[in-house]
Amino acid sequence: MCEASAFKFKDGQEELLLEAVDLIEPESDDSFRIVSIFGEQKVIKGKIKVINLVNHKIVFED
């Protein structure tokens, strides 16, 4: 499987936002829509801090 987990970096820690992320789309005003393989969606305000494909991890920050 190629899905990743999305995290928000806040106060020096990573907080899990969504697992099994299959799609990331930029939205207007510095936000992203993330969608899991199960159809769950979230809109995250901020920017991408890091994408680690080997570890299946995407980290957002303000």
Side-chain angles (χ1 to χ4, degrees), residues 7-16 49 59-60:
F7 296 85
K8 177 88 173 202
F9 187 76
K10 185 175 181 181
D11 298 328
Q13 297 188 351
E14 296 175 353
E15 173 185 316
L16 179 63
K49 180 179 183 205
V59 181
F60 295 89

Side-chain angles (χ1 to χ4, degrees), residues 10-60:
K10 185 175 181 181
D11 298 328
Q13 297 188 351
E14 296 175 353
E15 173 185 316
L16 179 63
L17 297 171
L18 190 63
E19 293 181 307
V21 172
D22 188 41
L23 176 70
I24 302 170
E25 286 185 328
E27 299 272 313
S28 61
D29 69 352
D30 298 329
S31 61
F32 294 88
R33 182 173 71 96
I34 57 175
V35 183
S36 77
I37 60 172
F38 306 109
E40 186 178 358
Q41 299 184 36
K42 291 187 175 182
V43 175
I44 310 302
K45 189 158 179 83
K47 62 183 181 181
I48 294 174
K49 180 179 183 205
V50 66
I51 297 174
N52 187 324
L53 298 176
V54 171
N55 292 323
H56 306 274
K57 189 177 192 179
I58 305 153
V59 181
F60 295 89

